[in-house]
Amino acid sequence: MPRLSDAEIARLKADLDDLTRAIAFDEGTERAFSHPLNAEKRNGEYHCAVCGEPVFSAAEKYESGSGWPSFWQPSHPENIETKTDYKLLYPRTEIHCANCGAHMGHVFSDGPPPTGERYCTNGGVLDFRPKAGED
């Protein structure tokens, strides 16, 4: 359940581009290897592109080869919620921003140590903020 009210979420949605809105609120997916954040290597933090809550850190990002930004854990687990998704006829764990409810991607159990998890995210719902001096 999002922490923001429906009215607050509606205000945020109105300012989004079509791709971000489709991913975040229609549970869409961008094409693999299409978003520049997949190749982002600088130090910094990834925030929800809808509401600005911090969710991942560059310290947990890794190259999964999947074509989407991938992290082995969220840096702010309190800002991530999950639910089971059956869209492909088998269960997957979908991840959402706990603050605004934006769909971010899925978590899989094929990631690296120490967690063995891969938080596979859509770059279109992430806002990367480089650490000072990394611009």
Side-chain angles (χ1 to χ4, degrees):
M1 228 24 221
R3 295 184 289 240
L4 295 179
S5 70
D6 289 344
E8 290 169 312
I9 292 170
R11 267 194 308 279
L12 292 170
K13 280 173 79 170
D15 292 333
L16 299 175
D17 61 68
D18 291 342
L19 176 65
T20 302
R21 189 178 314 106
I23 295 167
F25 296 103
D26 296 330
E27 298 179 351
T29 301
E30 66 204 15
R31 283 187 347 266
F33 301 100
S34 68
H35 201 280
L37 287 182
N38 185 51
E40 179 60 62
K41 304 284 189 226
R42 293 175 292 172
N43 191 13
E45 289 270 89
Y46 293 83
H47 294 249
C48 173
V50 176
C51 69
E53 286 293 299
V55 285
F56 297 103
S57 168
E60 289 98 18
K61 188 173 189 263
Y62 74 100
E63 178 50 57
S64 69
S66 67
W68 291 279
S70 297
F71 305 86
W72 51 270
Q73 74 178 11
S75 59
H76 296 273
E78 70 278 8
N79 293 335
I80 296 286
E81 289 185 339
T82 62
K83 76 174 190 178
T84 303
D85 160 7
Y86 292 96
K87 288 182 185 154
L88 296 181
L89 304 178
Y90 60 88
R92 298 184 299 169
T93 302
E94 191 173 322
I95 56 175
H96 292 262
C97 174
N99 194 47
C100 68
H103 166 79
M104 300 189 123
H106 294 84
V107 60
F108 301 99
S109 59
D110 61 0
T115 64
E117 295 183 325
R118 172 174 53 102
Y119 285 78
C120 185
T121 62
N122 289 281
V125 292
L126 295 175
D127 174 29
F128 178 69
R129 300 179 190 177
K131 185 176 178 180
E134 297 272 331
D135 303 336

